[in-house]
Amino acid sequence: MNRDIGKTLTVIRSDTRHNKGFFGSLAALFYEVYQYRDQIRSVYKKNFRNSYNGTGLGVAWNFILPLVPLTVYLFLSQIRVFPSFEGVDRATYVCFGVTVWFVLTGFVQVPMSIVASRTKEAMKTSIPLSSSIVSSFADLVFETFVRIIFVICIMVFMQLIPSATAPLVLVVFSAGFFLFFGAGLILSVLNAIYKDFERVTDIILRYGLFLSGVIFPIGKSDISILLSNVNPFAVFVNASREIVFEGYIVNWIPLLLWSSAGLIIFLIGCRLFYVMEFKLREIV
Amino acid sequence: MLSHPDTIIEVNKISKLYSRREAATRGRFARLAGRSLLGLKPKEVSELNQGEFWALNDISFSLKRGEAVGIIGFNGAGKTTLLRILSSQILPDSGEINILGNSASMIDLTAGFTASASGRLNIYYRGAALGRTQQEIESTIDEVIEFSELGDAIDAPFSTYSSGMKMRLAFSIMIVSEPDILFIDEVLAVGDFQFRQKSLAKIREIRERVAFVLVSHSMNTVKLFCNKAILLNKGEIAFQGDPEEAIEIYEKMLIPSKVSKNQRHNKTLNPQFHNDKTISDVEHFWCDEFGNPIDEIQSGQDLHFHVSFKLNYRPRNLIIGVPVWTDAGVYITGFSTPRATKGLVAMPNKKTQFRLKVPSQAFNPDEYISNLAVNDGPEFLYRGANPVLKVTGTGREYWGHVTLPHVWESVPISKADSDGVNEPHNYSQKSEAYSADPRFVFNGKNSIEAGTSSFDAPYEIKVILRSQSESVKLKRTDISPPMPFLAGAFSVFQLGVTYGFATNGKIVAEGGVAQKKQEINLSVDKAGVGRIIVEGEVLWSGEVGGEKPLKIGMGIRSRYWRGTVFKFEVQEYSELGRSKKAPRKPAKFDLFADYIEEGK
């Protein structure tokens, strides 16, 4: 009996991945993630355990840590460090904004940090970087879940009822995911060429919070309005807040434009990352 | 597509470009990223930039199931790069590899393990990292744990494991999966001796079903395991074919021709040293038994070494040593005076001369370089090169650098072993039944002891060993179980009968292996000094304890002749200096060349 019948023939060539187009690359990445789903699950579990291993409070840390920045901003807003504004109460405004901010910046930061830190391991273990990125997203999803619970608690406390369109925030998040994750993938590749990309991204994500209507509104001046339209973070933060609390999106054109750009950036990012992954392993 | 139906891996003209300059690497990466963003395919490498080189160039080979190829070469030859490309860790820059079926690589065995997690969890983590599903991992986890022999430690954190335990677990995870192709970097077997044997047995078990690519610096492993070899040199195939031929070429390449022989020797023998304030008139050379200098000797002949010098003080602990290397600088052995004693005696300001004798030296044909080192305790007085010694062959085959005395024999299987039952034999009873002389008692522990508790030193036993094969034509029944091939070829006494002193059952001195028809005289004088005299030559003398009663013993100490009966006869013996003839009908003893552990 021929034992080789039904065996897969793997072809390794320098341009194996270059043959794939945008959608081919996307499909290959999805397949890779599916193939390594157990690895993703086990790495997520491992990271979850590691984050509290050896601590006295144990698993409570996994709930405390995501809430620390929220409570700090909440405290600062309550002592009126930030300018006053009308509409949604301060506590809900800040907590919701910070939660959305961390989700969107996470989409950028996760691929960048994984490529920078796990490429050596990826080369030694043959684990694709895509699976490491996805398992780190699982951390982000959990942290976001904890923060959302916190936001809901505050809304209950403040007796604030969300609008009926609130579930549509997931659509906004998805559009944001395409844009920021795609950008994160492109930046992770560019960062391998020049480390400056990481520095610049770090600065933008650290201080962009104050220019994105996260903890207080941007303002109503012409520059502020322009900024809120061209700053994609501001666009998605505002759109999320509006759809949850007001039931409509005031500036839907910038949202639509950025969402369309996001789809293109996502496809470009996926292909670039997929094609360059093996080269990334050698260079970082 | 694979070019041959039996082939399961085909490597076709692969090349890999590396750069010593980070800027060049990033530059090429940036150009590739740019082309990729524009949807263009990578350009073939037409010219190398500054600092770039081919880590692998135009490598091609193929393997069928059951074949093993060994990749050898210097450090930096591209061996690990090739293995990483084959195991899909990195991509080649040109060429193509076709692999049919699953592959597994043992390159960085313990990479990807989580220190804080238990061994059991790590099996899941590592299995998942290898792309196995939860079900696949669960179906093999018991086998992995059993193979790794970690027992209860499997639930302890990975960080608490010794490096051997880590390797065992990592190896077990890999080997249990039984891939179609296995890429191995040096780690054909891991762990302690026992586990290595088990690993090798597993490798042997899957040998016919799997194709192996083995990178190794162990030429012996490549020679024994692989049926073809690739010698890589600076990223290119210098030779591909028979492993022995590849190793021969590699070993020739190991000795750079540009380096002269003298330079090579100096590198091995240096540093040289001479404290001329303490030692002078130093003469040293290899010589024959009469002290005449020689520079050539045949394998197996007695070798002598002469050294003479003058010291201007009385050394406290004079040590002389002669370390020996091969021509290529492999350290073979050292002939040193004992270090634990008070050392040799040398009078101040007088010429002192010593002679080293190496009976039946075991060096194989080659040129040997050596030093003479004269020390007073830890302090070097002199360290200088001896003349090169050339050892010529005898026409017999040899391997390695030395040929030690050895005999290969077929070991008969005793009935107990063949039945699988290890029943202890009652040797004493059987032997006593043969014994005609009450002063010779078989002690049941593989030896006959002469004398009884009533015998005190001085006492002498003189025994002429003579195998029955000399006087009586051996029949199969003379040696039990039958070993007919022994009859002509060897004397039974060459096979494991040793002689020596035993004081109350504890051996204090042993002679060599008795030859046939040797006269062996064992004696103890009034001062309690024992002597072993073989054919009139004092082989050994020393304190034998002085405990009373003293028993002088002869016995079999070989473990290799299990269940074999040897016969010899006592012809004469003497007591207190009075020689006595053995009875007309000599006492006969059966010695059982069986290895019995103490207490059995």
Side-chain angles (χ1 to χ4, degrees):
Chain A
M1 194 180 77
N2 189 346
R3 60 168 70 236
D4 295 332
I5 291 172
K7 300 264 182 190
T8 316
L9 179 71
T10 309
V11 180
I12 303 169
R13 289 169 56 97
S14 62
D15 59 355
T16 306
R17 293 193 163 200
H18 288 264
N19 292 333
K20 297 249 194 284
F22 290 113
F23 293 102
S25 302
L26 191 61
L29 283 173
F30 269 115
Y31 179 68
E32 223 169 52
V33 169
Y34 173 76
Q35 205 181 359
Y36 284 85
R37 61 195 181 282
D38 287 309
Q39 153 78 0
I40 293 164
R41 193 185 306 131
S42 64
V43 168
Y44 172 68
K45 279 185 196 166
K46 179 176 79 178
N47 291 345
F48 192 80
R49 283 198 196 102
N50 283 353
S51 60
Y52 64 82
N53 230 348
T55 62
L57 290 175
V59 74
W61 279 112
N62 292 41
F63 294 89
I64 293 168
L65 286 175
L67 298 180
V68 170
L70 255 71
T71 49
V72 169
Y73 286 120
L74 183 61
F75 173 73
L76 291 174
S77 67
Q78 290 304 303
I79 60 169
R80 297 179 187 277
V81 170
F82 304 126
S84 59
F85 51 84
E86 292 175 1
V88 182
D89 68 274
R90 272 172 194 280
T92 312
Y93 187 97
V94 167
C95 290
F96 183 86
V98 171
T99 301
V100 176
W101 173 258
F102 279 124
V103 173
L104 300 180
T105 54
F107 291 150
V108 180
Q109 281 175 320
V110 166
M112 288 188 79
S113 65
I114 291 296
V115 169
S117 63
R118 299 267 179 90
T119 40
K120 204 172 175 184
E121 186 191 286
M123 186 168 87
K124 285 184 172 180
T125 58
S126 303
I127 302 169
L129 285 169
S130 55
S131 79
S132 301
I133 291 171
V134 173
S135 56
S136 282
F137 270 135
D139 289 335
L140 182 67
V141 169
F142 177 78
E143 286 175 4
T144 306
F145 173 73
V146 172
R147 288 185 189 122
I148 287 172
I149 299 291
F150 186 74
V151 171
I152 290 170
C153 290
I154 288 177
M155 286 168 68
V156 170
F157 183 74
M158 295 292 177
Q159 297 179 338
L160 188 68
I161 299 165
S163 76
T165 57
L168 290 175
V169 76
L170 292 175
V171 178
V172 178
F173 273 17
S174 303
F177 167 79
F178 289 128
L179 174 65
F180 294 109
F181 179 61
L185 289 176
I186 294 169
L187 286 169
S188 65
V189 174
L190 295 178
N191 192 45
I193 304 166
Y194 294 112
K195 294 281 175 197
D196 309 55
F197 283 98
E198 188 181 5
R199 305 277 163 86
V200 172
T201 308
D202 194 41
I203 292 166
I204 291 172
L205 298 186
R206 189 173 296 176
Y207 302 107
L209 177 102
F210 302 104
L211 301 170
S212 307
V214 176
I215 43 182
F216 53 81
I218 294 174
K220 302 226 183 280
S221 69
D222 290 345
I223 294 176
S224 300
I225 290 166
L226 178 68
L227 188 67
S228 64
N229 288 337
V230 296
N231 176 359
F233 287 105
V235 170
F236 282 95
V237 168
N238 286 333
S240 303
R241 193 180 279 124
E242 284 163 2
I243 208 154
V244 169
F245 298 111
E246 293 172 25
Y248 59 90
I249 295 168
V250 181
N251 284 329
W252 59 270
I253 293 174
L255 178 68
L256 198 65
L257 288 174
W258 276 117
S259 298
S260 309
L263 278 174
I264 296 165
I265 289 172
F266 176 72
L267 287 173
I268 292 172
C270 285
R271 183 171 189 278
L272 182 68
F273 179 81
Y274 179 71
V275 166
M276 299 301 289
E277 189 190 341
F278 279 92
K279 285 286 169 190
L280 277 170
R281 293 182 188 184
E282 292 170 34
I283 204 168
V284 180
Chain B
M1 279 298 288
L2 295 164
S3 59
H4 194 277
D6 293 339
T7 304
I8 61 168
I9 176 167
E10 197 169 80
V11 178
N12 194 11
K13 294 187 171 189
I14 62 160
S15 300
K16 183 73 196 168
L17 188 70
Y18 275 157
S19 175
R20 292 186 184 91
R21 286 176 63 242
E22 202 186 328
T25 311
R26 289 183 192 278
R28 203 170 273 282
F29 179 87
R31 285 193 292 279
L32 186 66
R35 291 186 70 83
S36 169
L37 276 172
L38 296 171
L40 301 171
K41 283 197 172 187
K43 265 167 72 173
E44 289 221 347
V45 183
S46 53
E47 58 181 40
L48 300 186
N49 297 325
Q50 194 190 351
E52 288 183 334
F53 63 98
W54 289 109
L56 287 174
N57 195 9
D58 214 18
I59 306 293
S60 299
F61 65 92
S62 62
L63 277 181
K64 292 172 188 164
R65 211 177 275 281
E67 284 187 330
V69 64
I71 314 283
I72 58 173
F74 299 113
N75 288 332
K79 303 185 295 290
T80 304
T81 302
L82 175 60
L83 214 54
R84 288 198 189 284
I85 291 174
L86 294 177
S87 52
S88 300
Q89 289 182 355
I90 51 177
L91 287 178
D93 284 311
S94 66
E96 184 178 298
I97 301 162
N98 293 302
I99 295 174
L100 187 66
N102 300 320
S103 63
S105 61
M106 295 191 194
I107 302 177
D108 301 290
L109 258 187
T110 52
F113 280 86
T114 306
S116 57
S118 68
R120 188 185 296 276
L121 274 177
N122 267 302
I123 295 174
Y124 282 97
Y125 295 160
R126 200 69 195 97
L130 292 166
R132 295 175 198 160
T133 63
Q134 187 90 2
Q135 287 83 356
E136 283 169 346
I137 298 168
E138 268 161 15
S139 66
T140 56
I141 190 164
D142 291 337
E143 201 183 340
V144 172
I145 295 169
E146 193 193 328
F147 193 87
S148 67
E149 297 177 354
L150 287 173
D152 293 340
I154 198 69
D155 291 312
F158 189 72
S159 56
T160 62
Y161 288 10
S162 68
S163 55
M165 289 162 83
K166 286 175 184 170
M167 291 297 270
R168 268 158 46 192
L169 181 61
F171 187 88
S172 307
I173 293 169
M174 281 294 177
I175 203 74
V176 160
S177 68
E178 202 172 310
D180 297 293
I181 304 158
L182 199 50
F183 305 114
I184 305 172
D185 192 5
E186 292 287 355
V187 282
L188 193 57
V190 297
D192 55 20
F193 177 79
Q194 222 170 350
F195 192 80
R196 280 207 305 277
Q197 301 316 305
K198 189 173 161 183
S199 308
L200 289 171
K202 181 70 182 175
I203 295 261
R204 195 185 63 237
E205 185 194 319
I206 62 173
R207 180 73 164 74
E208 292 309 312
R209 303 191 292 271
V210 176
F212 292 85
V213 179
L214 168 72
V215 162
S216 183
H217 283 107
S218 164
M219 296 304 118
N220 209 29
T221 306
V222 171
K223 203 187 294 183
L224 294 173
F225 184 72
C226 302
N227 51 349
K228 54 169 108 166
I230 291 174
L231 171 59
L232 284 182
N233 187 30
K234 292 178 183 166
E236 293 184 349
I237 294 180
F239 177 83
Q240 183 168 183
D242 177 57
E244 295 212 14
E245 223 173 310
I247 290 163
E248 201 177 310
I249 297 168
Y250 172 66
E251 281 173 348
K252 276 184 190 158
M253 285 165 64
L254 270 175
I255 305 166
S257 55
K258 284 181 186 169
V259 180
S260 75
K261 206 174 207 181
N262 278 347
Q263 281 177 305
R264 220 170 52 232
H265 289 179
N266 288 343
K267 200 179 166 190
T268 306
L269 298 173
N270 281 347
Q272 308 280 305
F273 178 75
H274 185 181
N275 183 350
D276 48 15
K277 289 178 184 167
T278 56
I279 187 167
S280 58
D281 302 334
V282 188
E283 269 186 4
H284 50 101
F285 47 81
W286 298 106
C287 62
D288 60 19
E289 57 186 307
F290 307 110
N292 301 314
I294 57 164
D295 56 10
E296 191 174 308
I297 192 169
Q298 197 178 50
S299 283
Q301 285 182 339
D302 289 354
L303 177 65
H304 298 82
F305 181 80
H306 166 90
V307 54
S308 64
F309 49 79
K310 199 189 278 184
L311 287 175
N312 69 358
Y313 76 109
R314 184 189 291 275
R316 290 172 61 85
N317 183 11
L318 182 64
I319 300 167
I320 298 177
V322 180
V324 182
W325 292 265
T326 63
D327 180 66
V330 179
Y331 187 33
I332 299 295
T333 185
F335 305 113
S336 176
T337 55
R339 288 169 172 269
T341 63
K342 288 178 181 173
L344 301 170
V345 177
M347 301 302 286
N349 299 316
K350 284 190 176 173
K351 187 177 176 183
T352 311
Q353 185 169 299
F354 295 101
R355 178 82 49 82
L356 163 74
K357 182 183 177 185
V358 186
S360 313
Q361 49 81 14
F363 298 132
N364 285 335
D366 199 352
E367 286 191 346
Y368 292 89
I369 55 173
S370 58
N371 267 336
L372 165 73
V374 182
N375 282 44
D376 185 2
E379 182 195 350
F380 272 98
L381 305 179
Y382 180 86
R383 187 181 151 102
N386 299 316
V388 174
L389 178 72
K390 186 178 179 185
V391 177
T392 57
T394 57
R396 287 164 63 177
E397 272 192 300
Y398 62 89
W399 294 268
H401 300 297
V402 292
T403 301
L404 300 174
H406 62 280
V407 177
W408 281 99
E409 300 289 1
S410 168
V411 182
I413 298 164
S414 68
K415 192 173 181 305
D417 283 347
S418 60
D419 293 348
V421 182
N422 192 13
E423 288 177 10
H425 307 279
N426 191 342
Y427 301 111
S428 314
Q429 284 178 9
K430 196 173 178 186
S431 298
E432 275 166 10
Y434 278 94
S435 175
D437 190 329
R439 283 172 297 183
F440 294 88
V441 183
F442 188 76
N443 73 353
K445 285 187 180 177
N446 297 339
S447 68
I448 286 180
E449 291 180 347
T452 67
S453 59
S454 62
F455 269 96
D456 291 347
Y459 178 79
E460 185 177 283
I461 175 171
K462 188 176 178 183
V463 180
I464 294 174
L465 297 175
R466 201 179 73 181
S467 94
Q468 296 245 340
S469 60
E470 281 233 308
S471 54
V472 182
K473 196 176 176 183
L474 263 183
K475 293 177 184 173
R476 283 189 168 196
T477 50
D478 290 333
I479 301 173
S480 172
M483 294 193 294
F485 63 90
L486 289 176
F490 302 102
S491 155
V492 288
F493 293 109
Q494 282 181 307
L495 301 177
V497 181
T498 63
Y499 41 83
F501 288 96
T503 304
N504 293 335
K506 192 177 171 188
I507 290 167
V508 292
E510 274 189 274
V513 175
Q515 305 295 312
K516 62 182 178 181
K517 217 178 177 182
Q518 268 182 335
E519 185 174 300
I520 295 161
N521 188 308
L522 310 170
S523 68
V524 180
D525 64 19
K526 284 180 183 173
V529 176
R531 282 186 188 80
I532 299 176
I533 302 164
V534 179
E535 295 286 327
E537 201 176 312
V538 179
L539 193 81
W540 179 86
S541 79
E543 289 275 340
V544 289
E547 287 180 49
K548 293 179 182 179
L550 177 72
K551 293 176 183 178
I552 304 171
M554 298 186 63
I556 294 174
R557 298 270 300 153
S558 169
R559 62 182 297 175
Y560 299 107
W561 302 99
R562 190 180 182 89
T564 306
V565 180
F566 298 120
K567 292 180 179 178
F568 70 89
E569 61 185 65
V570 176
Q571 290 202 324
E572 60 178 84
Y573 58 91
S574 65
E575 187 182 329
L576 298 171
R578 284 170 294 169
S579 181
K580 286 186 177 182
K581 286 277 179 195
R584 178 171 292 209
K585 192 181 175 190
K588 287 186 178 175
F589 304 93
D590 282 352
L591 292 184
F592 289 77
D594 198 343
Y595 181 72
I596 299 175
E597 284 174 28
E598 198 121 4
K600 258 194 176 179

